Amino acid sequence: MPIRYFNSYSRQLEDFVPLEEGRVRLYTCGPTVYNFAHIGNFRAYIFEDLLQRHLEFRSFKVHRVMNLTDVDDKTIRGCRAAGIPLAVFTKPFKEAFFEDLKTLRIKPADQYPEATAADHIARMISMISTLEEKGHAYRADDGSVYFRIRSFPAYGRLAHIVLDELQAGVRVRSDEYEKENVGDFALWKAWDEADGDVGWESPWGRGRPGWHIECSAMATGILGPQLDIHCGGEDNIFPHHEAEIAQSECVTGLRFSKYWMHCKHLQVEGTKMAKSAGNFFTLRDLMDKGWSGREVRLALLSVKYREPLNFTMDGLAAARSALARLDEWSARLTETAGSAPPEPVSFPEMDAFGSALDDDLNISAALAAVFELIRETNRLLDGGNLAPGQAKSLADWLTGVHSVLALEPEAASLPAEVQALLGLRAQARASKDWKASDSIRDQIATLGWMVKDTKDGQKAIRL
RNA sequence: GGCGGGGUAGCCAAGUGGUAAGGCAGAGCUCUGCAAAAGCUCUAUGCGUCGGUUCGAUUCCGACCCUCGCCUCCA
């Protein structure tokens, strides 16, 4: 069965066929580094991570680029308020972002271009010049350069917006009278006092790039004029991605991206996430509450990207329990397998996992396949009906699954102190000294490990 | 107002024109010195409401209700 993804552009499921066989050029819109990213941002990044890992699972070579927007209204406002240079203001947020990605086990992109890098600014200026030459851009009275949306007939096709129906919304500044059309967007913003010392010289004077041109310049600059897949959150569809298409295609004359994939927003406890509602979380907020990156990852991963996700504390707790079940199974397989060589096993769920993902990243169905297999093979293990070699094969399969899900347990080595106490406890138990046994168990618990007595002896698990 | 998602068991959530995956929670059982953990088993005559099409609809069509998102720099 071919891989199918839902293309936002056609609004249909389409077979995935990259421009170049076996290779995928993937561009994903990254964060604006004026603050710590919140879990809504991370839902998008985890979806993109799943996409990349799934493609790699299916043997594609993925070249992924994620941009960092480190100059815009908010970053400028932030650095001005703090009275520090822009780069100094954004640096800690960039660092925090990369830490968070690591915590959530999001595979690093191949490149993280920054909007303020000199070569990217140069490319943006060059693209804007080309647009101006071709009549797609014009300079307004305020010195800014705008994209003329009337010059690109396909404008609105991605978002399915009809130009004539575009009305001035509440967020359109009514004083932007210098634009030809209310929908024209800034390619280059002329410097004004609020920008402080943020600005670059250009053919249009000092100023800074518009948001949309950043992505067009960095995407085409690094990946070439045509991308296979461009991703982002659903809110990016309009105007951001619509603008990117217009700018890029007017410069290159080629279709910008073959596929567009957008993930839905999440809600928190059933309502829109908002600071004012008190249900706004950064990853750090959740870590402070004692949740692990792996738990947050599963909670954000477990719902299909095209469905709204209801993020709840119950959901995190459910993720924690589900992971415990998964870990237990994994440990059981490893133990049963011993050093046996793999032996063929065949369960329909093993293929179902990948097939579910092939079907537009149906993660819920993929996880269901994993858990069905867990129950089925646990039954066999309970009855002693799973050969070591078969367990080995299943463990190998699970390794492949984790190359996509990245939910394997943290490697935790047993501290020598706990190891020693376990030895003492084993002796106490051999002589049926239950009091000593229980007391040592409590002692081990204070070190953060839980002792389980199984038919095969003691086992310590990280609390 | 325009465009587009959702509404499936206590919670989260797949899915299909032929009679409901999976996870969590709950109950029972097994194992066990006790405990904990774990494992197994069970749990929706029902899929927002009302109509229609059909031998048969949760799945298709229509209307309505609720909810969420976008409508010019928010993932």
Side-chain angles (χ1 to χ4, degrees), chain A residues 197-217:
Chain A
D197 58 3
V198 176
W200 290 264
E201 295 307 325
S202 81
W204 315 281
R206 190 169 175 75
R208 60 186 165 99
W211 177 39
H212 314 304
I213 196 69
E214 274 179 28
C215 280
S216 289

PDB file of all heavy atoms in Angstrom, chain A residues 197-217:
ATOM      1  N   ASP A 197      17.620  49.946  17.365  1.00  0.00           N
ATOM      2  CA  ASP A 197      18.801  49.734  16.522  1.00  0.00           C
ATOM      3  C   ASP A 197      18.694  48.459  15.682  1.00  0.00           C
ATOM      4  O   ASP A 197      19.680  47.969  15.143  1.00  0.00           O
ATOM      5  CB  ASP A 197      20.066  49.711  17.385  1.00  0.00           C
ATOM      6  CG  ASP A 197      19.995  48.626  18.448  1.00  0.00           C
ATOM      7  OD1 ASP A 197      19.008  47.875  18.461  1.00  0.00           O
ATOM      8  OD2 ASP A 197      20.932  48.539  19.261  1.00  0.00           O
ATOM      9  N   VAL A 198      17.493  47.920  15.592  1.00  0.00           N
ATOM     10  CA  VAL A 198      17.301  46.731  14.756  1.00  0.00           C
ATOM     11  C   VAL A 198      17.044  47.177  13.317  1.00  0.00           C
ATOM     12  O   VAL A 198      16.107  47.928  13.058  1.00  0.00           O
ATOM     13  CB  VAL A 198      16.106  45.894  15.251  1.00  0.00           C
ATOM     14  CG1 VAL A 198      15.877  44.708  14.303  1.00  0.00           C
ATOM     15  CG2 VAL A 198      16.341  45.411  16.668  1.00  0.00           C
ATOM     16  N   GLY A 199      17.859  46.737  12.406  1.00  0.00           N
ATOM     17  CA  GLY A 199      17.629  47.101  11.013  1.00  0.00           C
ATOM     18  C   GLY A 199      18.785  46.696  10.128  1.00  0.00           C
ATOM     19  O   GLY A 199      19.909  46.465  10.613  1.00  0.00           O
ATOM     20  N   TRP A 200      18.506  46.578   8.851  1.00  0.00           N
ATOM     21  CA  TRP A 200      19.522  46.226   7.860  1.00  0.00           C
ATOM     22  C   TRP A 200      19.396  47.199   6.693  1.00  0.00           C
ATOM     23  O   TRP A 200      18.286  47.634   6.365  1.00  0.00           O
ATOM     24  CB  TRP A 200      19.318  44.797   7.359  1.00  0.00           C
ATOM     25  CG  TRP A 200      19.621  43.747   8.379  1.00  0.00           C
ATOM     26  CD1 TRP A 200      20.798  43.071   8.523  1.00  0.00           C
ATOM     27  CD2 TRP A 200      18.756  43.254   9.407  1.00  0.00           C
ATOM     28  NE1 TRP A 200      20.721  42.187   9.572  1.00  0.00           N
ATOM     29  CE2 TRP A 200      19.471  42.270  10.143  1.00  0.00           C
ATOM     30  CE3 TRP A 200      17.436  43.535   9.813  1.00  0.00           C
ATOM     31  CZ2 TRP A 200      18.922  41.582  11.216  1.00  0.00           C
ATOM     32  CZ3 TRP A 200      16.890  42.846  10.879  1.00  0.00           C
ATOM     33  CH2 TRP A 200      17.633  41.886  11.572  1.00  0.00           C
ATOM     34  N   GLU A 201      20.537  47.487   6.075  1.00  0.00           N
ATOM     35  CA  GLU A 201      20.503  48.356   4.912  1.00  0.00           C
ATOM     36  C   GLU A 201      19.989  47.564   3.718  1.00  0.00           C
ATOM     37  O   GLU A 201      20.239  46.361   3.603  1.00  0.00           O
ATOM     38  CB  GLU A 201      21.912  48.898   4.608  1.00  0.00           C
ATOM     39  CG  GLU A 201      22.459  49.819   5.697  1.00  0.00           C
ATOM     40  CD  GLU A 201      21.496  50.972   6.032  1.00  0.00           C
ATOM     41  OE1 GLU A 201      20.808  51.471   5.110  1.00  0.00           O
ATOM     42  OE2 GLU A 201      21.420  51.361   7.223  1.00  0.00           O
ATOM     43  N   SER A 202      19.263  48.262   2.854  1.00  0.00           N
ATOM     44  CA  SER A 202      18.707  47.601   1.676  1.00  0.00           C
ATOM     45  C   SER A 202      18.513  48.632   0.577  1.00  0.00           C
ATOM     46  O   SER A 202      18.652  49.838   0.830  1.00  0.00           O
ATOM     47  CB  SER A 202      17.351  46.983   2.028  1.00  0.00           C
ATOM     48  OG  SER A 202      16.333  47.970   1.980  1.00  0.00           O
ATOM     49  N   PRO A 203      18.185  48.193  -0.642  1.00  0.00           N
ATOM     50  CA  PRO A 203      17.911  49.149  -1.720  1.00  0.00           C
ATOM     51  C   PRO A 203      16.760  50.082  -1.368  1.00  0.00           C
ATOM     52  O   PRO A 203      16.590  51.126  -2.013  1.00  0.00           O
ATOM     53  CB  PRO A 203      17.527  48.249  -2.904  1.00  0.00           C
ATOM     54  CG  PRO A 203      18.148  46.917  -2.597  1.00  0.00           C
ATOM     55  CD  PRO A 203      18.126  46.802  -1.110  1.00  0.00           C
ATOM     56  N   TRP A 204      15.965  49.713  -0.385  1.00  0.00           N
ATOM     57  CA  TRP A 204      14.816  50.542  -0.006  1.00  0.00           C
ATOM     58  C   TRP A 204      15.090  51.292   1.293  1.00  0.00           C
ATOM     59  O   TRP A 204      14.168  51.738   1.975  1.00  0.00           O
ATOM     60  CB  TRP A 204      13.578  49.661   0.139  1.00  0.00           C
ATOM     61  CG  TRP A 204      13.490  48.710  -1.022  1.00  0.00           C
ATOM     62  CD1 TRP A 204      13.031  49.004  -2.272  1.00  0.00           C
ATOM     63  CD2 TRP A 204      13.930  47.356  -1.040  1.00  0.00           C
ATOM     64  NE1 TRP A 204      13.175  47.893  -3.082  1.00  0.00           N
ATOM     65  CE2 TRP A 204      13.720  46.871  -2.355  1.00  0.00           C
ATOM     66  CE3 TRP A 204      14.506  46.492  -0.100  1.00  0.00           C
ATOM     67  CZ2 TRP A 204      14.046  45.557  -2.739  1.00  0.00           C
ATOM     68  CZ3 TRP A 204      14.819  45.196  -0.478  1.00  0.00           C
ATOM     69  CH2 TRP A 204      14.603  44.743  -1.796  1.00  0.00           C
ATOM     70  N   GLY A 205      16.365  51.326   1.670  1.00  0.00           N
ATOM     71  CA  GLY A 205      16.734  52.007   2.898  1.00  0.00           C
ATOM     72  C   GLY A 205      16.773  51.040   4.070  1.00  0.00           C
ATOM     73  O   GLY A 205      16.608  49.828   3.907  1.00  0.00           O
ATOM     74  N   ARG A 206      16.977  51.584   5.235  1.00  0.00           N
ATOM     75  CA  ARG A 206      17.096  50.750   6.421  1.00  0.00           C
ATOM     76  C   ARG A 206      15.725  50.153   6.762  1.00  0.00           C
ATOM     77  O   ARG A 206      14.696  50.815   6.652  1.00  0.00           O
ATOM     78  CB  ARG A 206      17.597  51.611   7.586  1.00  0.00           C
ATOM     79  CG  ARG A 206      17.981  50.822   8.820  1.00  0.00           C
ATOM     80  CD  ARG A 206      18.708  51.734   9.814  1.00  0.00           C
ATOM     81  NE  ARG A 206      18.995  51.029  11.056  1.00  0.00           N
ATOM     82  CZ  ARG A 206      19.964  50.119  11.201  1.00  0.00           C
ATOM     83  NH1 ARG A 206      20.726  49.807  10.171  1.00  0.00           N
ATOM     84  NH2 ARG A 206      20.163  49.525  12.364  1.00  0.00           N
ATOM     85  N   GLY A 207      15.763  48.912   7.168  1.00  0.00           N
ATOM     86  CA  GLY A 207      14.496  48.262   7.516  1.00  0.00           C
ATOM     87  C   GLY A 207      14.733  46.817   7.909  1.00  0.00           C
ATOM     88  O   GLY A 207      15.847  46.434   8.292  1.00  0.00           O
ATOM     89  N   ARG A 208      13.676  46.040   7.852  1.00  0.00           N
ATOM     90  CA  ARG A 208      13.792  44.618   8.218  1.00  0.00           C
ATOM     91  C   ARG A 208      12.813  43.811   7.371  1.00  0.00           C
ATOM     92  O   ARG A 208      11.846  44.365   6.836  1.00  0.00           O
ATOM     93  CB  ARG A 208      13.496  44.425   9.697  1.00  0.00           C
ATOM     94  CG  ARG A 208      12.099  44.879  10.102  1.00  0.00           C
ATOM     95  CD  ARG A 208      11.944  44.794  11.618  1.00  0.00           C
ATOM     96  NE  ARG A 208      10.770  45.535  12.083  1.00  0.00           N
ATOM     97  CZ  ARG A 208       9.608  44.944  12.360  1.00  0.00           C
ATOM     98  NH1 ARG A 208       9.452  43.652  12.197  1.00  0.00           N
ATOM     99  NH2 ARG A 208       8.589  45.670  12.794  1.00  0.00           N
ATOM    100  N   PRO A 209      13.099  42.518   7.245  1.00  0.00           N
ATOM    101  CA  PRO A 209      12.257  41.702   6.374  1.00  0.00           C
ATOM    102  C   PRO A 209      10.875  41.441   6.971  1.00  0.00           C
ATOM    103  O   PRO A 209      10.707  41.427   8.187  1.00  0.00           O
ATOM    104  CB  PRO A 209      13.044  40.387   6.249  1.00  0.00           C
ATOM    105  CG  PRO A 209      13.921  40.337   7.451  1.00  0.00           C
ATOM    106  CD  PRO A 209      14.228  41.755   7.812  1.00  0.00           C
ATOM    107  N   GLY A 210       9.915  41.232   6.096  1.00  0.00           N
ATOM    108  CA  GLY A 210       8.603  40.792   6.543  1.00  0.00           C
ATOM    109  C   GLY A 210       8.705  39.335   6.935  1.00  0.00           C
ATOM    110  O   GLY A 210       9.659  38.640   6.568  1.00  0.00           O
ATOM    111  N   TRP A 211       7.745  38.879   7.679  1.00  0.00           N
ATOM    112  CA  TRP A 211       7.801  37.519   8.210  1.00  0.00           C
ATOM    113  C   TRP A 211       7.790  36.469   7.097  1.00  0.00           C
ATOM    114  O   TRP A 211       8.573  35.518   7.101  1.00  0.00           O
ATOM    115  CB  TRP A 211       6.604  37.309   9.148  1.00  0.00           C
ATOM    116  CG  TRP A 211       6.494  35.933   9.718  1.00  0.00           C
ATOM    117  CD1 TRP A 211       7.519  35.137  10.150  1.00  0.00           C
ATOM    118  CD2 TRP A 211       5.295  35.193   9.937  1.00  0.00           C
ATOM    119  NE1 TRP A 211       7.024  33.952  10.633  1.00  0.00           N
ATOM    120  CE2 TRP A 211       5.659  33.961  10.509  1.00  0.00           C
ATOM    121  CE3 TRP A 211       3.945  35.464   9.710  1.00  0.00           C
ATOM    122  CZ2 TRP A 211       4.709  33.004  10.863  1.00  0.00           C
ATOM    123  CZ3 TRP A 211       3.003  34.504  10.074  1.00  0.00           C
ATOM    124  CH2 TRP A 211       3.383  33.290  10.633  1.00  0.00           C
ATOM    125  N   HIS A 212       6.911  36.645   6.148  1.00  0.00           N
ATOM    126  CA  HIS A 212       6.730  35.595   5.144  1.00  0.00           C
ATOM    127  C   HIS A 212       7.960  35.378   4.269  1.00  0.00           C
ATOM    128  O   HIS A 212       8.281  34.250   3.918  1.00  0.00           O
ATOM    129  CB  HIS A 212       5.524  35.928   4.257  1.00  0.00           C
ATOM    130  CG  HIS A 212       4.315  36.364   5.025  1.00  0.00           C
ATOM    131  ND1 HIS A 212       3.771  35.585   6.017  1.00  0.00           N
ATOM    132  CD2 HIS A 212       3.561  37.480   4.956  1.00  0.00           C
ATOM    133  CE1 HIS A 212       2.717  36.214   6.523  1.00  0.00           C
ATOM    134  NE2 HIS A 212       2.571  37.377   5.898  1.00  0.00           N
ATOM    135  N   ILE A 213       8.630  36.470   3.916  1.00  0.00           N
ATOM    136  CA  ILE A 213       9.759  36.354   2.991  1.00  0.00           C
ATOM    137  C   ILE A 213      10.905  35.558   3.606  1.00  0.00           C
ATOM    138  O   ILE A 213      11.662  34.886   2.922  1.00  0.00           O
ATOM    139  CB  ILE A 213      10.258  37.754   2.534  1.00  0.00           C
ATOM    140  CG1 ILE A 213      11.160  37.634   1.298  1.00  0.00           C
ATOM    141  CG2 ILE A 213      10.974  38.479   3.640  1.00  0.00           C
ATOM    142  CD1 ILE A 213      10.449  37.207   0.036  1.00  0.00           C
ATOM    143  N   GLU A 214      10.995  35.614   4.933  1.00  0.00           N
ATOM    144  CA  GLU A 214      12.015  34.829   5.643  1.00  0.00           C
ATOM    145  C   GLU A 214      11.946  33.372   5.224  1.00  0.00           C
ATOM    146  O   GLU A 214      12.931  32.763   4.860  1.00  0.00           O
ATOM    147  CB  GLU A 214      11.667  34.779   7.137  1.00  0.00           C
ATOM    148  CG  GLU A 214      12.127  35.890   7.963  1.00  0.00           C
ATOM    149  CD  GLU A 214      11.653  35.640   9.385  1.00  0.00           C
ATOM    150  OE1 GLU A 214      11.472  34.472   9.779  1.00  0.00           O
ATOM    151  OE2 GLU A 214      11.457  36.636  10.087  1.00  0.00           O
ATOM    152  N   CYS A 215      10.741  32.810   5.361  1.00  0.00           N
ATOM    153  CA  CYS A 215      10.594  31.377   5.105  1.00  0.00           C
ATOM    154  C   CYS A 215      10.828  31.074   3.638  1.00  0.00           C
ATOM    155  O   CYS A 215      11.461  30.077   3.299  1.00  0.00           O
ATOM    156  CB  CYS A 215       9.212  30.893   5.538  1.00  0.00           C
ATOM    157  SG  CYS A 215       9.100  30.624   7.314  1.00  0.00           S
ATOM    158  N   SER A 216      10.335  31.938   2.748  1.00  0.00           N
ATOM    159  CA  SER A 216      10.545  31.695   1.323  1.00  0.00           C
ATOM    160  C   SER A 216      12.041  31.694   1.006  1.00  0.00           C
ATOM    161  O   SER A 216      12.527  30.850   0.259  1.00  0.00           O
ATOM    162  CB  SER A 216       9.858  32.782   0.495  1.00  0.00           C
ATOM    163  OG  SER A 216       8.459  32.635   0.542  1.00  0.00           O
ATOM    164  N   ALA A 217      12.751  32.635   1.573  1.00  0.00           N
ATOM    165  CA  ALA A 217      14.176  32.761   1.278  1.00  0.00           C
ATOM    166  C   ALA A 217      14.965  31.596   1.855  1.00  0.00           C
ATOM    167  O   ALA A 217      15.839  31.035   1.195  1.00  0.00           O
ATOM    168  CB  ALA A 217      14.698  34.088   1.841  1.00  0.00           C
TER     169      ALA A 217
END
